[in-house]
Amino acid sequence: MFELTLAQQVLVIIVGVLLIGSIVALLRGWAGKREGLIWAAVFLAALVAILWPGATSRVARTIGIGRGADLILYIAVIVMLAGFWAIYIRLRRVRREITLLVRHQALLEAERNLSQSSDSATPPAPGPKTPAKGD
């Protein structure tokens, strides 16, 4: 086979754990199918790049980029930007949902307070008369 440097061994362990974690999350339903498959593919690609660094150089030269490290950097930047954008969109949606929920809750509380204050402003309904002690 081939020998791995210490850095490659450490990286293979880290990325391998992340790959297994993404597969477990996918199988247990902790992550959506699309997200789980995307992360598994990213970690699998990272493992290939770690184990066969020459492959990234060949791919980079094929598409007109000088070095494999540059290719990995470009891909990493694009993936991070896409991830940040997805998180931003999700955060905006969650903030909007929270705003709508808080408005709804405030309207319910205002309605409840209004009905309670109108109930206390009206005199109590006449009920059956209780006899006095001396009767």
Side-chain angles (χ1 to χ4, degrees), residues 1 35 48 55 69 73 80 82-83 85 96 101 103 105 110 122 131:
M1 197 148 152
E35 290 88 2
V48 169
L73 177 66
M80 283 188 282
W85 178 75
R96 177 72 180 148
L101 181 63
R103 284 181 187 165
Q105 185 67 30
T122 59

Side-chain angles (χ1 to χ4, degrees), residues 43-68:
F43 295 135
L44 192 59
L47 275 176
V48 169
I50 292 166
L51 293 173
W52 295 282
T56 59
S57 295
R58 285 190 298 278
V59 171
R61 282 192 302 273
T62 302
I63 61 174
I65 298 174
R67 300 181 311 160

Side-chain angles (χ1 to χ4, degrees), residues 89-126:
I89 296 299
R90 185 172 292 177
L91 180 61
R92 284 186 53 103
R93 187 177 67 229
V94 167
R95 289 176 68 187
R96 177 72 180 148
E97 290 172 359
I98 289 172
T99 299
L100 294 174
L101 181 63
V102 168
R103 284 181 187 165
H104 179 73
Q105 185 67 30
L107 290 172
L108 288 177
E109 287 181 22
E111 187 177 290
R112 186 175 57 226
N113 290 339
L114 184 62
S115 69
Q116 285 176 353
S117 66
S118 66
D119 289 345
S120 64
T122 59

Side-chain angles (χ1 to χ4, degrees), residues 12-33:
V12 164
I13 291 170
I14 292 170
V15 175
V17 168
L18 291 171
L19 175 62
I20 291 169
S22 68
I23 292 170
V24 167
L26 176 65
L27 294 176
R28 292 195 177 175
W30 298 339
K33 192 175 208 174

